Amino acid sequence: MANNLVEFRNLRTNFYTSGGVVKAVNDVSFAIKEGETLCVVGESGCGKSVTAMSLMRLVSPPGKTEGGQILYNGEDLLTLKERQMRHIRGNEIAMIFQEPMTSLNPVFKIGQQISEPLIIHKGMTKKEAKKRSIELIELVGIPRAAQIFDSYPHELSGGMRQRIMIAIALSCDPKLLIADEPTTALDVTIQAQILDLMRNIKSEFKTAIMLITHDLGVVAEMADHVVVMYAGKVIEEAPVHELFRNPKHPYTQGLLRAKPIINQRQSRLYTIPGQVPNPVSLGNNCYFNDRCEHCMSICVDKQPPLNTYENRHKAACWLYEKGGEA
Amino acid sequence: MTEPLLEVNHLKKYFPIQGGIMQRTVGHVRAVDDITFTLNKGEALGLVGESGCGKSTTGRTILRLLEKTEGTVKFKGTDLHELSRKELRAMRPKMQLVFQDPYSSLNPRINVGTAIGEALVDHGLVSKHEIRDRVKEILSICGLAPYHIDRYPHEFSGGQRQRIGIARALIMNPEFIVADEPVSALDVSIQAQIINLLSDLQEQKNLTYLFISHDLSVVEHLCNRIGVMYLGSMVEMAPREELFARPLHPYTKALLSAIPVPDPTRKSERIVLQGDIPSPANPPSGCKFHTRCPFAKEICKQQVPKYEEMASNHFVACHFAGEF
Amino acid sequence: MAQAVDTTSTNAEMPKTKPASPWTLAFRQLRRNKIAMSGLIVIIMMFLICFVGPFLSPYSLETMSGPSNKGPSASHWLGTDKLGRDILLRVMLAGRISLLVGLVAMMVSVAIGSTLGALAGYYRGWVDTIIMRFADIMLSIPALPLLIILGAVLSDIQVPPDQRIYLVMFLLGFMSWPGLARLVRGQILTLREQEFMQAAEVLGLRDKRKIFRHLIPNTIPIIIVVATLSVAGAILMESVLSYLGIGVVPPTPSWGNMISAANNLIDFKKRPWLWIPPGVCIFMTVIAINVIGDGLRDALDPKMKK
């Protein structure tokens, strides 16, 4: 059994907007094991990206991480000094983003952007850094690496830029790679290439990956373990096979049924009625209750706890509570 | 055989690339490069392809939001690109467009009632007194509440805005709707709602769709015929079942296998295409796909494959269609 | 007012919140902005004092109302000038002129700038080229020397002082339209590419409707912000010109020409009541207007929340 690399304990991150306090991450607990790919799934605004940003301590005002712990190798990242945190970022935990078009600085050459962390974090000389950079560019599957080293970002396509982002992220051999919707902006054939690349990295370097996505297809393909979030809360968590075979929470079930699947055409798609609740006015109830087919009286009155069931399967739903009264 | 609702013949749309100090035209982006197809009443044709393949440009050139470079677009027998501005304006209500971006497609300073109803009034089709009732009616058809009529776009979520966009197109009582990636900006649970709405509307009103999407699974759900585009050309077009059961073009096969399936037990035997999509400003010679095609032979580099009917209603442009 | 809306809406399903147009939202946002609101209060006070104040004054502009060059006292709160005129009254009357110059110059600039900018942005092609090249020429002429020359010419041909004020207003407005024209043109060019404009085309809306209902309302926020800030600019410019003696000329008072008292060493050192009141007025007015402009910019931000 692998050790926990990162453990979120009752994490709370709030955003103070003019409309009120948005609990973007609301009492979230889960763990990422060494060398494991953990997928966080959910719809826009469910708090999946904010969870990752909280881990990197990159939440900026009006957002604020206000409670809980994030243990990285047993050390609480939230109590570290900014200088120590900078060391963690890049060296230990690296991150790639959704928009490969804007996450590279357009005025620097690709080579400079890959070498920079090597020189800063690894203390390499310029020459060593260049050699290593070219290796990294080759590693992420870009031919003519020496030539790419001297190009500017605008000369590369979206898929290539995402590969470069991955190369930069890998430059300091991180233990954890956070990928926030890394393929959402890419075409399917390019997405397939990037997912392939990420799988190779995982098996070759034993890097743990925290993959944030809304696409259940990507989850099925990449994940070892899945966390489903809804309105700032973890509502279900399970190993990937268990989750797809036996989804417990009605929201997860709905998501799985609502997605059109190729070669499995139904005359009508299943839909989850209604929409995500307004994040400002959430009460002490199950946030999914007004969209749920199985809504019971207790769901409106009380929030279900995240309980553990067989096969490392956790769910927050009153349907599975004995008696349901608790 | 009835006359088709829409006939697109050898349609081309090139965008000039300007360079130098004098802004001379130094080349062309061949966004749409010789596309031919017909669409019958009540059909739903899906156009799929990756970014830059020209599918959106095709949709917009058909509606004459963009002027064509060559070819003809006949809607119920009239060539849209030959009409005067006034005649075109009179034709507008019959053909509508649903946009991808539910945010930029609604004017933030115009309330829902006006946004949906203004065109009917502007065309003089409905009087000002009746318009509110018509708008309320169409709102409930599209799954919104009548009281939404006085609200402004910023008060709605992405899915609701998309419903407003559909209502705005629908109130004109169109026969033909081009839907340009109408669900790709939406979350999964909302996507399903909009897909169902579109398919219900088609059934009730016998609409004809040209449905543009990069997502084959969405297109499969809504369309009975599917065309696959690559770099401005149609590479394959077939009825739905036929295309999924017997894809003839290697690009279609790759596209089909690239879609992640939400089933972790299934180990996909995926064709991962090498390389990037070439620039449409400078497409490869011969078959445009040869640079990424795992089966490319010498002939593919030199000769442009013909777009031919290989089986009943199944068109494909490949020198070795179905041979591998 | 709010209640009236509630009672008239009979729709049973109507939720509690009322529909709010972007304008209503912007106004609410502005009202919450304390700094902008205090700026607004200062400006309103300034207008009230300048336009109502003189009627309450026991003195008149033309007549000497007391001994000359006296400091502030109970009868002359801000003292008198070398001709024995009441400074307070003169500051108020000067304020009328300065505020009026600011407003009229702004209106001239907005009228020319937004019309030309909209035309250039909407029609593009040669219309755009001609208008924008003309704007470039205007922008490349240094404003101050030009105004000084024009002022000198006006003095030469002996334009009567009361008509001169209007000329100054129009001149200032005319000098400042190119900046606004550029902004409006840019805004319209961006808007044209928005999908809702394509939607308007697909719906077959008339040009008139597209321009007046869809394009122009979306450019108004930027016009309002620029217009507000340009009032301050015009007031400052008028002060500069009047101080130099080529804007509003005595005996008509303006804050600028009142300050020119300070270019005399004795007045500057010994009689600060001559130039401090108009100086403070200019300072407060300009700051207040700029603060309102910033508040408007925040409130009308096109990137609307959610």
Side-chain angles (χ1 to χ4, degrees):
Chain A
M1 201 66 182
N3 294 323
N4 284 347
L5 181 68
V6 176
E7 195 182 340
F8 295 90
R9 281 194 191 159
N10 309 95
L11 182 70
R12 287 175 189 278
T13 300
N14 297 334
F15 281 80
Y16 293 88
T17 68
S18 56
V21 182
V22 175
K23 295 177 180 170
V25 178
N26 188 356
D27 197 8
V28 161
S29 303
F30 63 88
I32 307 171
K33 293 190 173 10
E34 280 174 5
E36 171 187 77
T37 300
L38 177 119
C39 281
V40 184
V41 220
E43 297 181 290
S44 39
C46 74
K48 53 191 196 300
S49 294
V50 180
T51 306
M53 296 307 264
S54 307
L55 170 57
M56 291 297 263
R57 286 218 349 227
L58 290 174
V59 176
S60 47
K64 222 175 153 202
T65 301
E66 294 189 309
Q69 291 178 303
I70 304 175
L71 301 179
Y72 175 77
N73 279 335
E75 194 177 10
D76 187 1
L77 294 182
L78 297 179
T79 60
L80 288 186
K81 291 206 177 66
E82 185 52 35
R83 205 168 52 83
Q84 295 166 301
M85 194 59 216
R86 260 204 302 274
H87 180 79
I88 299 259
R89 279 182 218 132
N91 253 340
E92 308 270 331
I93 307 175
M95 189 161 182
I96 56 176
F97 299 91
Q98 174 174 350
E99 274 302 329
M101 296 299 167
T102 52
S103 39
L104 285 168
N105 188 332
V107 300
F108 292 111
K109 288 181 182 168
I110 298 291
Q112 285 170 290
Q113 302 194 44
I114 304 184
S115 314
E116 198 186 8
L118 290 170
I119 297 169
I120 294 173
H121 288 299
K122 294 262 156 172
M124 289 187 182
T125 64
K126 244 187 162 167
K127 221 169 152 191
E128 288 167 338
K130 176 166 184 179
K131 193 164 153 272
R132 177 77 184 128
S133 304
I134 292 182
E135 279 170 24
L136 282 165
I137 299 176
E138 278 165 357
L139 180 81
V140 293
I142 301 179
R144 298 178 289 115
Q147 199 183 326
I148 297 294
F149 185 88
D150 282 321
S151 336
Y152 284 95
H154 70 91
E155 299 172 71
L156 307 183
S157 67
M160 297 261 262
R161 285 182 221 199
Q162 200 57 292
R163 283 168 193 268
I164 296 293
M165 285 311 295
I166 295 176
I168 295 174
L170 291 179
S171 60
C172 293
D173 309 305
K175 301 259 178 8
L176 174 68
L177 176 65
I178 304 174
D180 189 355
E181 304 261 9
T183 58
T184 308
L186 304 175
D187 285 311
V188 260
T189 59
I190 310 297
Q191 165 171 297
Q193 294 171 356
I194 299 290
L195 293 182
D196 243 27
L197 172 66
M198 288 182 51
R199 262 195 303 264
N200 292 341
I201 286 165
K202 184 190 156 199
S203 60
E204 210 168 306
F205 300 94
K206 306 277 175 278
T207 311
I209 298 178
M210 177 178 173
L211 178 65
I212 296 164
T213 179
H214 67 278
D215 187 338
L216 286 163
V218 173
V219 174
E221 222 165 87
M222 302 292 293
D224 298 314
H225 203 77
V226 187
V227 169
V228 186
M229 287 185 72
Y230 186 79
K233 284 206 152 291
V234 174
I235 51 135
E236 187 158 8
E237 185 193 330
V240 66
H241 287 274
E242 169 70 15
L243 186 92
F244 279 84
R245 192 171 55 235
N246 180 22
K248 281 191 186 298
H249 199 284
Y251 175 66
T252 318
Q253 294 169 353
L255 273 190
L256 281 167
R257 285 169 67 194
K259 187 178 162 61
I261 302 170
I262 211 119
N263 283 327
Q264 295 179 24
R265 191 172 179 276
Q266 308 135 289
S267 64
R268 226 185 135 68
L269 283 172
Y270 173 81
T271 61
I272 304 175
Q275 30 202 317
V276 181
N278 181 350
V280 177
S281 50
L282 293 171
N284 179 27
N285 51 14
C286 174
Y287 297 156
F288 191 59
N289 75 67
D290 55 336
R291 303 177 75 186
C292 185
E293 291 181 336
H294 310 286
C295 183
M296 303 177 289
S297 62
I298 186 167
C299 305
V300 190
D301 296 334
K302 217 171 160 188
Q303 203 159 65
L306 186 68
N307 279 342
T308 312
Y309 301 92
E310 71 288 354
N311 302 329
R312 291 170 63 207
H313 198 142
K314 293 183 188 172
C317 180
W318 289 118
L319 282 176
Y320 305 97
E321 284 303 295
K322 298 240 164 47
E325 78 283 44
Chain B
M1 194 70 188
T2 51
E3 191 191 23
L5 185 79
L6 182 77
E7 274 178 275
V8 178
N9 250 311
H10 299 288
L11 185 67
K12 290 183 187 175
K13 174 68 193 172
Y14 293 177
F15 292 102
I17 308 170
Q18 285 168 344
I21 318 165
M22 301 301 292
Q23 294 291 300
R24 269 178 311 138
T25 303
V26 293
H28 286 98
V29 174
R30 303 182 184 187
V32 180
D33 200 3
D34 202 355
I35 290 222
T36 302
F37 65 87
T38 59
L39 194 52
N40 294 319
K41 185 138 185 67
E43 250 195 318
L45 173 70
L47 271 189
V48 284
E50 298 179 283
S51 49
C53 76
K55 51 192 193 301
S56 290
T57 312
T58 307
R60 282 171 161 72
T61 315
I62 287 174
L63 292 178
R64 204 175 160 191
L65 281 176
L66 296 168
E67 295 298 324
K68 64 164 189 193
T69 304
E70 254 177 63
T72 57
V73 178
K74 281 190 179 160
F75 179 74
K76 299 171 96 181
T78 25
D79 189 337
L80 295 177
H81 285 260
E82 298 296 320
L83 296 178
S84 70
R85 267 185 71 79
K86 213 174 144 198
E87 290 166 321
L88 181 67
R89 187 175 169 258
M91 286 286 262
R92 284 286 182 213
K94 294 284 141 219
M95 353 171 255
Q96 285 301 310
L97 177 61
V98 175
F99 293 87
Q100 167 175 5
D101 184 348
Y103 291 88
S104 85
S105 61
L106 294 175
N107 188 336
R109 300 194 181 270
I110 288 189
N111 70 22
V112 170
T114 313
I116 297 176
E118 64 176 343
L120 272 188
V121 178
D122 205 39
H123 280 277
L125 296 173
V126 170
S127 73
K128 275 195 176 156
H129 322 286
E130 292 168 67
I131 193 68
R132 275 182 79 84
D133 292 331
R134 284 291 294 277
V135 172
K136 283 183 180 168
E137 184 191 328
I138 212 86
L139 280 173
S140 36
I141 290 176
C142 292
L144 294 161
Y147 68 77
H148 285 144
I149 191 165
D150 292 319
R151 313 216 138 200
Y152 284 83
H154 66 89
E155 297 172 78
F156 295 89
S157 67
Q160 289 175 313
R161 280 159 171 256
Q162 206 56 305
R163 288 176 191 271
I164 297 168
I166 293 171
R168 177 175 64 186
L170 209 65
I171 202 168
M172 306 303 286
N173 213 0
E175 292 177 50
F176 172 53
I177 291 185
V178 176
D180 189 0
E181 305 257 17
V183 299
S184 24
L186 306 175
D187 278 317
V188 186
S189 71
I190 307 299
Q191 238 181 40
Q193 295 174 1
I194 299 294
I195 293 174
N196 280 348
L197 172 66
L198 287 169
S199 85
D200 291 347
L201 290 175
Q202 190 193 17
E203 225 165 88
Q204 288 162 19
K205 309 210 172 234
N206 194 25
L207 292 171
T208 309
Y209 282 144
L210 179 66
F211 194 91
I212 296 164
S213 176
H214 68 279
D215 189 341
L216 262 171
S217 54
V218 171
V219 169
E220 183 197 24
H221 196 86
L222 265 171
C223 302
N224 40 26
R225 205 146 57 93
I226 295 169
V228 181
M229 285 184 72
Y230 187 75
L231 277 183
S233 306
M234 193 74 79
V235 296
E236 186 163 4
M237 184 180 282
R240 175 180 58 218
E241 285 80 12
E242 170 84 4
L243 189 90
F244 284 91
R246 289 203 314 130
L248 293 179
H249 199 284
Y251 179 64
T252 314
K253 284 190 176 174
L255 212 52
L256 281 170
S257 80
I259 299 164
V261 178
D263 178 3
T265 55
R266 225 185 73 161
K267 278 283 150 262
S268 56
E269 55 294 334
R270 162 170 301 160
I271 312 167
V272 175
L273 288 179
Q274 294 308 308
D276 274 316
I277 306 162
S279 152
N282 187 16
S285 62
C287 173
K288 287 175 181 167
F289 185 56
H290 83 253
T291 50
R292 300 175 78 199
C293 182
F295 311 101
K297 301 222 166 46
E298 205 46 42
I299 181 173
C300 304
K301 290 180 194 164
Q302 283 144 18
Q303 250 178 348
V304 180
K306 279 207 187 73
Y307 180 64
E308 288 174 318
E309 188 164 7
M310 295 293 286
S312 157
N313 238 332
H314 192 155
F315 293 85
V316 65
C318 176
H319 290 298
F320 302 100
E323 278 180 33
F324 34 82
Chain C
M1 182 59 212
Q3 277 175 337
V5 175
D6 258 350
T7 45
T8 48
S9 68
T10 46
N11 200 324
E13 309 167 70
M14 190 78 178
K16 275 166 263 151
T17 53
K18 285 183 297 295
S21 81
W23 298 112
T24 324
L25 286 185
F27 184 63
R28 273 187 215 156
Q29 174 98 22
L30 187 66
R31 283 229 321 236
R32 273 203 297 268
N33 187 335
K34 290 201 186 74
I35 299 177
M37 286 322 279
S38 37
L40 194 63
I41 291 169
V42 169
I43 285 297
I44 291 173
M45 294 294 291
M46 203 59 101
F47 267 89
L48 277 178
I49 292 171
C50 293
F51 285 85
V52 181
F55 297 113
L56 307 176
S57 168
Y59 309 109
S60 85
L61 187 60
E62 280 78 24
T63 55
M64 262 174 59
S65 50
S68 57
N69 283 340
K70 273 274 177 278
S73 64
S75 53
H76 296 282
W77 293 354
L78 295 178
T80 57
D81 66 2
K82 62 176 179 279
L83 296 177
R85 294 173 297 192
D86 182 54
I87 297 274
L88 177 61
L89 177 65
R90 272 178 68 79
V91 164
M92 292 191 290
L93 290 171
R96 282 185 184 180
I97 305 274
S98 289
L99 291 171
L100 206 63
V101 167
L103 284 178
V104 174
M106 175 269 277
M107 284 188 254
V108 171
S109 152
V110 166
I112 303 178
S114 51
T115 314
L116 289 183
L119 288 175
Y122 190 76
Y123 288 104
R124 295 186 284 190
W126 62 267
V127 178
D128 184 21
T129 314
I130 292 176
I131 293 175
M132 288 335 278
R133 285 307 81 78
F134 186 46
D136 286 344
I137 292 170
M138 293 289 299
L139 281 172
S140 59
I141 299 172
L144 198 53
L146 182 73
L147 287 168
I148 292 175
I149 294 166
L150 284 171
V153 171
L154 288 181
S155 302
D156 254 18
I157 55 176
Q158 312 226 312
V159 180
D162 48 334
Q163 286 173 31
R164 223 182 135 121
I165 298 164
Y166 299 103
L167 274 167
V168 169
M169 292 175 187
F170 280 95
L171 264 177
L172 287 175
F174 189 72
M175 293 303 292
S176 62
W177 67 264
L180 182 63
R182 280 194 162 176
L183 278 171
V184 171
R185 169 181 173 270
Q187 188 77 5
I188 292 218
L189 284 178
T190 330
L191 288 169
R192 279 182 70 107
E193 302 307 317
Q194 294 273 314
E195 283 192 337
F196 65 78
M197 287 312 293
Q198 288 191 37
E201 175 62 33
V202 179
L203 292 166
L205 298 185
R206 286 171 218 273
D207 274 6
K208 202 175 85 188
R209 201 177 174 88
K210 279 195 273 187
I211 297 174
F212 289 104
R213 293 303 302 271
H214 288 260
L215 282 178
I216 291 187
N218 278 294
T219 58
I220 285 178
I222 196 164
I223 296 179
I224 291 180
V225 172
V226 174
T228 311
L229 296 175
S230 82
V231 173
I235 290 177
L236 275 181
M237 200 65 189
E238 181 273 328
S239 308
V240 172
L241 293 178
S242 303
Y243 177 85
L244 293 175
I246 49 180
V248 180
V249 285
T252 315
S254 98
W255 287 338
N257 66 28
M258 287 180 76
I259 292 184
S260 63
N263 61 7
N264 165 337
L265 192 63
I266 297 172
D267 285 343
F268 180 70
K269 278 170 82 173
K270 297 271 164 63
R271 300 170 192 133
W273 63 87
L274 289 183
W275 54 271
I276 285 184
V280 168
C281 285
I282 295 175
F283 179 76
M284 299 243 301
T285 311
V286 170
I287 288 220
I289 292 174
N290 282 336
V291 159
I292 298 170
D294 284 346
L296 281 170
R297 191 195 309 263
D298 290 345
L300 296 167
D301 194 328
K303 285 174 282 158
M304 285 220 299
K305 274 147 211 140
K306 235 178 117 196

